[in-house]
Amino acid sequence: MDVYGLIGNPVGHSVSPPMHEAAYEALDVDARYVTFEPAADAGAAAVEAAAELGLRGLNVTIPFKQDVLAAVEPAPLAERIGAVNTVDFGTDPPTGYNTDAAGVTRAFAHHDVALSGTAVVVGAGGAGRAAAVALADEGLSVRVANRTESTAHDLADLVGGDATGHGLDELPELLASAECLVNATSVGMEEDRSPVPAEALHGDLAVLDAVYAPLETRLLRDAAAAGATTIDGGWMLLFQGVEAFERWTGADAPVEAMNRALRAHL
């Protein structure tokens, strides 16, 4: 039996186990997916221990996505983003990937959104970094808006090309000519709030909210009212898991089975 897993702290809320085990069942793969909650300063050590235990692959979530870089050989994309959320133990040393980037682009593709033009990314943390780099690599002009404007400029410099950094007060102007919007902040998770003024949204936008609890956020309600295409955070969560499964197994993931299991637990 192959064993895969997830490290995070906390990790009890994760919906990754049922999502991945649904994939194993659908493809008749003899595997299990388990969770580990190391001490907050033990991310790299946990990866090394997982290798010793013979795990085939490991997902990584908060607060370990940067820490585990010391225990893996990061793939070029993960190195650029500065974070690893998927480890493949099939190489020596283990390879670290960032599948959050694919979670963004595959979520848009699943909703038939043509990735072209200008994308606005709200937030410059881990999810924002993954989204900004992924969309720039797809050829979009990226505009990063963040509460701390200097951090937005830092991310724009990392992305390169014609990416620019901005404060949140510039969102109405930025969105007027944008085709895609990603909320990569946690705004909307615990309160019925949106990081984007409702009047700045319009029908030519495709809006992806990385928040998945709740699935229907204030931002997505406002976007739907404006006639925009809306994509809830469950899709980004699904497709980062799909990408991890495919990297580990080399098989096409059973996307529908994984999506059903994911949404049953959200």
Side-chain angles (χ1 to χ4, degrees):
M1 176 184 291
D2 293 332
V3 179
Y4 302 88
L6 169 71
I7 59 169
N9 190 333
V11 78
H13 65 286
S14 175
V15 294
S16 290
M19 177 172 65
H20 281 277
E21 296 217 338
Y24 307 149
E25 182 178 356
L27 297 185
D28 196 25
V29 174
D30 187 17
R32 291 298 305 272
Y33 189 99
V34 296
T35 60
F36 304 94
E37 190 169 306
D41 61 350
V47 171
E48 293 167 357
E52 291 295 322
L53 289 169
L55 270 69
R56 293 288 305 278
L58 197 65
N59 283 140
V60 182
T61 190
I62 295 170
F64 301 123
K65 291 185 180 183
Q66 288 78 40
D67 296 348
V68 301
L69 283 163
V72 302
E73 181 68 33
L77 181 62
E79 189 167 26
R80 284 176 61 206
I81 294 170
V84 163
N85 77 328
T86 298
V87 178
D88 181 3
F89 293 109
T91 59
D92 185 18
T95 302
Y97 296 99
N98 187 300
T99 67
D100 288 332
V104 172
T105 55
R106 292 180 73 161
F108 277 120
H110 182 78
H111 289 80
D112 298 321
V113 174
L115 290 176
S116 62
T118 299
V120 175
V121 176
V122 183
R129 290 167 70 91
V133 170
L135 294 170
D137 283 357
E138 291 289 323
L140 283 80
S141 296
V142 174
R143 308 289 177 250
V144 181
N146 193 59
R147 182 174 56 184
T148 303
E149 187 173 341
S150 61
T151 309
H153 288 294
D154 290 343
L155 178 51
D157 290 342
L158 170 72
V159 171
D162 64 352
T164 55
H166 307 267
L168 295 178
D169 60 320
E170 297 180 66
L171 278 172
E173 179 182 354
L174 296 173
L175 288 170
S177 57
E179 285 75 27
C180 298
L181 166 65
V182 177
N183 171 37
T185 76
S186 61
V187 176
M189 185 178 295
E190 296 182 355
E191 298 180 2
D192 190 32
R193 297 171 50 230
S194 170
V196 179
E199 59 271 18
L201 302 167
H202 55 81
D204 293 327
L205 273 175
V207 180
L208 168 61
D209 196 337
V211 172
Y212 58 84
L215 284 172
E216 185 183 70
T217 60
R218 175 70 173 273
L219 171 60
L220 293 184
R221 292 199 306 274
D222 290 344
T229 299
T230 59
I231 306 170
D232 66 59
W235 293 106
M236 180 177 170
L237 182 63
L238 168 69
F239 283 111
Q240 64 79 29
V242 165
E243 183 82 4
F245 177 89
E246 292 177 345
R247 287 197 175 276
W248 288 330
T249 67
D252 291 336
V255 175
E256 291 305 317
M258 294 175 75
N259 187 46
R260 285 194 299 270
L262 172 68
R263 290 180 183 270
H265 287 82
L266 284 177

mmCIF file of all heavy atoms in Angstrom, residues 172-205:
data_model
loop_
_atom_site.group_PDB
_atom_site.id
_atom_site.type_symbol
_atom_site.label_atom_id
_atom_site.label_comp_id
_atom_site.label_asym_id
_atom_site.label_seq_id
_atom_site.Cartn_x
_atom_site.Cartn_y
_atom_site.Cartn_z
ATOM 1 N N PRO A 172 -10.623 50.235 -7.940
ATOM 2 C CA PRO A 172 -11.607 50.617 -8.970
ATOM 3 C C PRO A 172 -10.961 50.935 -10.313
ATOM 4 O O PRO A 172 -11.440 50.489 -11.373
ATOM 5 C CB PRO A 172 -12.290 51.842 -8.362
ATOM 6 C CG PRO A 172 -12.179 51.621 -6.883
ATOM 7 C CD PRO A 172 -10.825 51.011 -6.700
ATOM 8 N N GLU A 173 -9.879 51.671 -10.297
ATOM 9 C CA GLU A 173 -9.189 52.015 -11.541
ATOM 10 C C GLU A 173 -8.578 50.780 -12.199
ATOM 11 O O GLU A 173 -8.666 50.588 -13.419
ATOM 12 C CB GLU A 173 -8.098 53.044 -11.257
ATOM 13 C CG GLU A 173 -7.290 53.453 -12.484
ATOM 14 C CD GLU A 173 -6.182 54.427 -12.144
ATOM 15 O OE1 GLU A 173 -6.112 54.878 -10.989
ATOM 16 O OE2 GLU A 173 -5.365 54.707 -13.048
ATOM 17 N N LEU A 174 -7.962 49.908 -11.400
ATOM 18 C CA LEU A 174 -7.330 48.709 -11.948
ATOM 19 C C LEU A 174 -8.342 47.764 -12.571
ATOM 20 O O LEU A 174 -8.104 47.177 -13.634
ATOM 21 C CB LEU A 174 -6.560 47.982 -10.843
ATOM 22 C CG LEU A 174 -5.375 48.712 -10.217
ATOM 23 C CD1 LEU A 174 -4.836 47.919 -9.026
ATOM 24 C CD2 LEU A 174 -4.274 48.931 -11.243
ATOM 25 N N LEU A 175 -9.490 47.601 -11.910
ATOM 26 C CA LEU A 175 -10.476 46.623 -12.372
ATOM 27 C C LEU A 175 -11.236 47.095 -13.605
ATOM 28 O O LEU A 175 -11.792 46.268 -14.339
ATOM 29 C CB LEU A 175 -11.454 46.301 -11.244
ATOM 30 C CG LEU A 175 -10.857 45.449 -10.125
ATOM 31 C CD1 LEU A 175 -11.800 45.385 -8.934
ATOM 32 C CD2 LEU A 175 -10.545 44.051 -10.626
ATOM 33 N N ALA A 176 -11.262 48.380 -13.833
ATOM 34 C CA ALA A 176 -12.019 48.909 -14.976
ATOM 35 C C ALA A 176 -11.560 48.298 -16.291
ATOM 36 O O ALA A 176 -12.363 48.095 -17.213
ATOM 37 C CB ALA A 176 -11.897 50.435 -15.014
ATOM 38 N N SER A 177 -10.277 47.981 -16.406
ATOM 39 C CA SER A 177 -9.746 47.440 -17.656
ATOM 40 C C SER A 177 -9.235 46.009 -17.503
ATOM 41 O O SER A 177 -8.472 45.518 -18.337
ATOM 42 C CB SER A 177 -8.600 48.329 -18.162
ATOM 43 O OG SER A 177 -7.580 48.431 -17.181
ATOM 44 N N ALA A 178 -9.653 45.323 -16.435
ATOM 45 C CA ALA A 178 -9.166 43.969 -16.169
ATOM 46 C C ALA A 178 -10.144 42.911 -16.666
ATOM 47 O O ALA A 178 -11.354 43.148 -16.756
ATOM 48 C CB ALA A 178 -8.919 43.777 -14.677
ATOM 49 N N GLU A 179 -9.592 41.736 -16.976
ATOM 50 C CA GLU A 179 -10.403 40.586 -17.371
ATOM 51 C C GLU A 179 -10.526 39.553 -16.258
ATOM 52 O O GLU A 179 -11.508 38.796 -16.223
ATOM 53 C CB GLU A 179 -9.795 39.904 -18.609
ATOM 54 C CG GLU A 179 -10.014 40.635 -19.919
ATOM 55 C CD GLU A 179 -9.122 41.870 -20.063
ATOM 56 O OE1 GLU A 179 -8.019 41.900 -19.465
ATOM 57 O OE2 GLU A 179 -9.536 42.809 -20.771
ATOM 58 N N CYS A 180 -9.543 39.478 -15.378
ATOM 59 C CA CYS A 180 -9.533 38.480 -14.309
ATOM 60 C C CYS A 180 -9.243 39.144 -12.972
ATOM 61 O O CYS A 180 -8.476 40.111 -12.898
ATOM 62 C CB CYS A 180 -8.469 37.413 -14.554
ATOM 63 S SG CYS A 180 -8.688 36.435 -16.047
ATOM 64 N N LEU A 181 -9.856 38.613 -11.921
ATOM 65 C CA LEU A 181 -9.625 39.080 -10.558
ATOM 66 C C LEU A 181 -9.474 37.860 -9.653
ATOM 67 O O LEU A 181 -10.285 36.938 -9.717
ATOM 68 C CB LEU A 181 -10.801 39.935 -10.079
ATOM 69 C CG LEU A 181 -10.885 40.238 -8.574
ATOM 70 C CD1 LEU A 181 -9.704 41.087 -8.123
ATOM 71 C CD2 LEU A 181 -12.212 40.933 -8.249
ATOM 72 N N VAL A 182 -8.430 37.866 -8.828
ATOM 73 C CA VAL A 182 -8.241 36.817 -7.828
ATOM 74 C C VAL A 182 -8.168 37.467 -6.458
ATOM 75 O O VAL A 182 -7.341 38.352 -6.237
ATOM 76 C CB VAL A 182 -6.945 36.012 -8.075
ATOM 77 C CG1 VAL A 182 -6.756 34.968 -6.963
ATOM 78 C CG2 VAL A 182 -6.965 35.335 -9.441
ATOM 79 N N ASN A 183 -9.042 37.040 -5.551
ATOM 80 C CA ASN A 183 -8.894 37.434 -4.157
ATOM 81 C C ASN A 183 -8.040 36.385 -3.478
ATOM 82 O O ASN A 183 -8.467 35.255 -3.260
ATOM 83 C CB ASN A 183 -10.242 37.534 -3.444
ATOM 84 C CG ASN A 183 -10.048 37.737 -1.942
ATOM 85 O OD1 ASN A 183 -9.122 38.430 -1.515
ATOM 86 N ND2 ASN A 183 -10.903 37.126 -1.141
ATOM 87 N N ALA A 184 -6.805 36.771 -3.133
ATOM 88 C CA ALA A 184 -5.882 35.851 -2.476
ATOM 89 C C ALA A 184 -5.680 36.226 -1.020
ATOM 90 O O ALA A 184 -4.671 35.871 -0.414
ATOM 91 C CB ALA A 184 -4.547 35.850 -3.218
ATOM 92 N N THR A 185 -6.650 36.947 -0.447
ATOM 93 C CA THR A 185 -6.625 37.273 0.976
ATOM 94 C C THR A 185 -7.635 36.395 1.700
ATOM 95 O O THR A 185 -8.412 35.662 1.081
ATOM 96 C CB THR A 185 -6.980 38.750 1.221
ATOM 97 O OG1 THR A 185 -8.408 38.931 1.072
ATOM 98 C CG2 THR A 185 -6.250 39.665 0.261
ATOM 99 N N SER A 186 -7.656 36.496 3.025
ATOM 100 C CA SER A 186 -8.632 35.744 3.822
ATOM 101 C C SER A 186 -9.895 36.548 4.088
ATOM 102 O O SER A 186 -10.801 36.066 4.786
ATOM 103 C CB SER A 186 -8.006 35.320 5.152
ATOM 104 O OG SER A 186 -7.618 36.469 5.900
ATOM 105 N N VAL A 187 -9.997 37.751 3.515
ATOM 106 C CA VAL A 187 -11.181 38.582 3.724
ATOM 107 C C VAL A 187 -12.396 37.862 3.150
ATOM 108 O O VAL A 187 -12.404 37.430 1.996
ATOM 109 C CB VAL A 187 -11.013 39.962 3.066
ATOM 110 C CG1 VAL A 187 -12.303 40.769 3.210
ATOM 111 C CG2 VAL A 187 -9.843 40.717 3.697
ATOM 112 N N GLY A 188 -13.425 37.720 3.958
ATOM 113 C CA GLY A 188 -14.621 36.992 3.555
ATOM 114 C C GLY A 188 -14.728 35.636 4.207
ATOM 115 O O GLY A 188 -15.760 34.971 4.106
ATOM 116 N N MET A 189 -13.666 35.230 4.908
ATOM 117 C CA MET A 189 -13.679 33.905 5.536
ATOM 118 C C MET A 189 -14.481 33.906 6.834
ATOM 119 O O MET A 189 -15.303 33.016 7.062
ATOM 120 C CB MET A 189 -12.248 33.436 5.803
ATOM 121 C CG MET A 189 -12.146 32.019 6.338
ATOM 122 S SD MET A 189 -10.435 31.473 6.576
ATOM 123 C CE MET A 189 -9.844 31.476 4.883
ATOM 124 N N GLU A 190 -14.246 34.895 7.678
ATOM 125 C CA GLU A 190 -14.899 34.909 8.987
ATOM 126 C C GLU A 190 -15.991 35.964 9.094
ATOM 127 O O GLU A 190 -16.823 35.883 9.994
ATOM 128 C CB GLU A 190 -13.849 35.124 10.077
ATOM 129 C CG GLU A 190 -12.843 33.983 10.168
ATOM 130 C CD GLU A 190 -11.838 34.189 11.278
ATOM 131 O OE1 GLU A 190 -11.874 35.259 11.912
ATOM 132 O OE2 GLU A 190 -11.019 33.278 11.517
ATOM 133 N N GLU A 191 -15.971 36.932 8.212
ATOM 134 C CA GLU A 191 -16.989 37.977 8.232
ATOM 135 C C GLU A 191 -17.553 38.153 6.830
ATOM 136 O O GLU A 191 -16.895 37.848 5.837
ATOM 137 C CB GLU A 191 -16.385 39.304 8.715
ATOM 138 C CG GLU A 191 -15.838 39.265 10.134
ATOM 139 C CD GLU A 191 -15.250 40.599 10.549
ATOM 140 O OE1 GLU A 191 -15.314 41.543 9.744
ATOM 141 O OE2 GLU A 191 -14.722 40.691 11.660
ATOM 142 N N ASP A 192 -18.777 38.644 6.761
ATOM 143 C CA ASP A 192 -19.425 38.864 5.468
ATOM 144 C C ASP A 192 -18.929 40.179 4.879
ATOM 145 O O ASP A 192 -19.645 41.167 4.805
ATOM 146 C CB ASP A 192 -20.947 38.877 5.644
ATOM 147 C CG ASP A 192 -21.661 38.868 4.298
ATOM 148 O OD1 ASP A 192 -21.122 38.271 3.352
ATOM 149 O OD2 ASP A 192 -22.746 39.475 4.208
ATOM 150 N N ARG A 193 -17.645 40.154 4.458
ATOM 151 C CA ARG A 193 -16.994 41.334 3.909
ATOM 152 C C ARG A 193 -16.327 40.970 2.594
ATOM 153 O O ARG A 193 -16.036 39.804 2.322
ATOM 154 C CB ARG A 193 -15.946 41.892 4.872
ATOM 155 C CG ARG A 193 -16.486 42.380 6.194
ATOM 156 C CD ARG A 193 -15.358 42.701 7.157
ATOM 157 N NE ARG A 193 -14.339 43.567 6.554
ATOM 158 C CZ ARG A 193 -13.026 43.324 6.570
ATOM 159 N NH1 ARG A 193 -12.569 42.229 7.156
ATOM 160 N NH2 ARG A 193 -12.184 44.163 6.006
ATOM 161 N N SER A 194 -16.051 42.000 1.791
ATOM 162 C CA SER A 194 -15.333 41.809 0.536
ATOM 163 C C SER A 194 -14.142 42.748 0.499
ATOM 164 O O SER A 194 -14.231 43.880 0.975
ATOM 165 C CB SER A 194 -16.252 42.103 -0.657
ATOM 166 O OG SER A 194 -15.499 42.134 -1.865
ATOM 167 N N PRO A 195 -13.022 42.305 -0.074
ATOM 168 C CA PRO A 195 -11.872 43.200 -0.208
ATOM 169 C C PRO A 195 -11.991 44.154 -1.384
ATOM 170 O O PRO A 195 -11.119 45.014 -1.570
ATOM 171 C CB PRO A 195 -10.712 42.222 -0.419
ATOM 172 C CG PRO A 195 -11.339 41.088 -1.151
ATOM 173 C CD PRO A 195 -12.728 40.954 -0.573
ATOM 174 N N VAL A 196 -13.064 43.998 -2.167
ATOM 175 C CA VAL A 196 -13.219 44.764 -3.400
ATOM 176 C C VAL A 196 -14.539 45.536 -3.361
ATOM 177 O O VAL A 196 -15.598 44.953 -3.076
ATOM 178 C CB VAL A 196 -13.218 43.831 -4.627
ATOM 179 C CG1 VAL A 196 -13.404 44.622 -5.910
ATOM 180 C CG2 VAL A 196 -11.927 43.022 -4.673
ATOM 181 N N PRO A 197 -14.535 46.831 -3.652
ATOM 182 C CA PRO A 197 -15.791 47.574 -3.704
ATOM 183 C C PRO A 197 -16.734 46.991 -4.757
ATOM 184 O O PRO A 197 -16.317 46.727 -5.892
ATOM 185 C CB PRO A 197 -15.359 48.998 -4.087
ATOM 186 C CG PRO A 197 -13.900 49.070 -3.762
ATOM 187 C CD PRO A 197 -13.363 47.699 -3.953
ATOM 188 N N ALA A 198 -17.971 46.778 -4.387
ATOM 189 C CA ALA A 198 -18.929 46.158 -5.306
ATOM 190 C C ALA A 198 -19.072 46.947 -6.596
ATOM 191 O O ALA A 198 -19.217 46.373 -7.686
ATOM 192 C CB ALA A 198 -20.286 46.014 -4.621
ATOM 193 N N GLU A 199 -18.998 48.265 -6.500
ATOM 194 C CA GLU A 199 -19.200 49.108 -7.685
ATOM 195 C C GLU A 199 -18.033 49.016 -8.667
ATOM 196 O O GLU A 199 -18.145 49.463 -9.828
ATOM 197 C CB GLU A 199 -19.416 50.569 -7.273
ATOM 198 C CG GLU A 199 -18.279 51.185 -6.479
ATOM 199 C CD GLU A 199 -18.412 50.978 -4.985
ATOM 200 O OE1 GLU A 199 -19.187 50.087 -4.561
ATOM 201 O OE2 GLU A 199 -17.723 51.712 -4.238
ATOM 202 N N ALA A 200 -16.906 48.425 -8.255
ATOM 203 C CA ALA A 200 -15.759 48.269 -9.153
ATOM 204 C C ALA A 200 -15.875 47.021 -10.023
ATOM 205 O O ALA A 200 -15.116 46.852 -10.979
ATOM 206 C CB ALA A 200 -14.464 48.216 -8.353
ATOM 207 N N LEU A 201 -16.807 46.140 -9.711
ATOM 208 C CA LEU A 201 -16.970 44.890 -10.454
ATOM 209 C C LEU A 201 -17.828 45.113 -11.693
ATOM 210 O O LEU A 201 -18.686 45.989 -11.717
ATOM 211 C CB LEU A 201 -17.601 43.839 -9.544
ATOM 212 C CG LEU A 201 -16.810 43.534 -8.266
ATOM 213 C CD1 LEU A 201 -17.666 42.726 -7.295
ATOM 214 C CD2 LEU A 201 -15.525 42.796 -8.599
ATOM 215 N N HIS A 202 -17.601 44.291 -12.714
ATOM 216 C CA HIS A 202 -18.357 44.453 -13.955
ATOM 217 C C HIS A 202 -18.496 43.118 -14.677
ATOM 218 O O HIS A 202 -17.840 42.127 -14.335
ATOM 219 C CB HIS A 202 -17.697 45.492 -14.871
ATOM 220 C CG HIS A 202 -16.254 45.209 -15.188
ATOM 221 N ND1 HIS A 202 -15.859 44.320 -16.161
ATOM 222 C CD2 HIS A 202 -15.103 45.699 -14.636
ATOM 223 C CE1 HIS A 202 -14.539 44.288 -16.230
ATOM 224 N NE2 HIS A 202 -14.052 45.106 -15.304
ATOM 225 N N GLY A 203 -19.334 43.096 -15.669
ATOM 226 C CA GLY A 203 -19.703 41.853 -16.339
ATOM 227 C C GLY A 203 -18.630 41.225 -17.193
ATOM 228 O O GLY A 203 -18.772 40.076 -17.619
ATOM 229 N N ASP A 204 -17.548 41.934 -17.479
ATOM 230 C CA ASP A 204 -16.476 41.379 -18.295
ATOM 231 C C ASP A 204 -15.384 40.718 -17.453
ATOM 232 O O ASP A 204 -14.364 40.287 -17.994
ATOM 233 C CB ASP A 204 -15.841 42.481 -19.157
ATOM 234 C CG ASP A 204 -16.809 43.005 -20.209
ATOM 235 O OD1 ASP A 204 -17.638 42.212 -20.692
ATOM 236 O OD2 ASP A 204 -16.734 44.201 -20.534
ATOM 237 N N LEU A 205 -15.615 40.632 -16.152
ATOM 238 C CA LEU A 205 -14.633 40.032 -15.254
ATOM 239 C C LEU A 205 -14.911 38.546 -15.018
ATOM 240 O O LEU A 205 -16.069 38.111 -15.029
ATOM 241 C CB LEU A 205 -14.670 40.718 -13.886
ATOM 242 C CG LEU A 205 -13.830 41.964 -13.637
ATOM 243 C CD1 LEU A 205 -14.150 42.521 -12.247
ATOM 244 C CD2 LEU A 205 -12.340 41.647 -13.754
#
